Amino acid sequence: MFTLTIKKSVQMSVLLGALVGSVAVHAEAAPISDVVGTIEQTLTTQTQEMLVSAKREFVMSLQTQLAESIYDFNSQLGLSAENEGESASADEYSAK
């Protein structure tokens, strides 16, 4: 997902660069500062979207790891309780 976002951003930047280059060649009247401003704004927007996506994926990954750890811990506690119950039963049986 993250690499897909980066790939889309690079493709969009290349496409935008080609478009800007084409427009700049055909329209000398367009001020360069407007073109540069548009490029900067587009890159800023794409960077913000990419960071939001990366943050979302990171948080989801942490939540998944935490849930797996809690599940494993609970499973181990359940096994320990079963083993203690079995050993207590064996002790009672041997005491009779």
Side-chain angles (χ1 to χ4, degrees):
M1 180 77 171
F2 184 67
T3 56
L4 179 64
T5 305
I6 291 174
K7 184 177 179 183
K8 288 170 109 177
S9 296
V10 170
Q11 288 174 344
M12 184 59 79
S13 298
V14 170
L15 180 64
L16 185 62
L19 180 65
V20 167
S22 174
V23 170
V25 167
H26 294 292
E28 291 288 328
I32 299 296
S33 62
D34 289 344
V35 173
V36 171
T38 302
I39 292 172
E40 287 177 348
Q41 183 178 9
T42 302
L43 290 176
T44 300
T45 302
Q46 289 178 351
T47 302
Q48 289 173 346
E49 290 173 1
M50 188 174 62
L51 289 174
V52 167
S53 177
K55 179 182 175 183
R56 185 179 309 119
E57 288 181 26
F58 180 70
V59 168
M60 287 174 52
S61 174
L62 287 177
Q63 289 174 339
T64 301
Q65 291 176 13
L66 181 60
E68 289 173 353
S69 296
I70 290 171
Y71 178 79
D72 290 343
F73 182 72
N74 285 337
S75 295
Q76 290 175 355
L77 281 178
L79 289 176
S80 295
E82 286 177 15
N83 289 340
E84 287 178 7
E86 289 175 3
S87 66
S89 297
D91 289 342
E92 289 175 5
Y93 181 71
S94 63
K96 290 182 181 181

